[in-house]
Amino acid sequence: IGHTVNLASRIEGFCKPGEIFASPEVVDYLPAEACEEVGEFEFKGIKHPLTLFRLLPSGAKAIKDAA
């Protein structure tokens, strides 16, 4: 499957129903108002904690406007 797909699956495992979490690499492509920092999480196979961000419901408009 590969590292990226495994990481995406593990990130998804931290989400509650209806939430979308993103890694810092994804957030770099989004407007600042589209997301909020959730915190640091430990992942199997990754040495250091990874900061995750929650995409905000209002973020969809910010993403559309930035495109």
Side-chain angles (χ1 to χ4, degrees):
I1 294 176
H3 172 73
T4 303
V5 174
N6 285 332
L7 180 58
S9 176
R10 291 180 180 140
I11 290 173
E12 182 183 19
F14 286 111
C15 298
K16 295 176 186 169
E19 288 184 320
I20 301 172
F21 285 2
S23 68
E25 292 81 7
V26 171
V27 171
D28 285 344
Y29 291 94
L30 302 175
E33 62 272 12
C35 56
E36 66 182 358
E37 186 175 322
V38 179
E40 289 188 341
F41 294 82
E42 297 282 339
F43 290 90
K44 179 181 174 184
I46 298 178
K47 292 181 182 182
H48 303 287
L50 184 65
T51 302
L52 295 181
F53 298 83
R54 178 184 298 112
L55 298 183
L56 300 172
S58 60
K61 182 179 182 326
I63 293 168
K64 183 179 176 185
D65 291 346

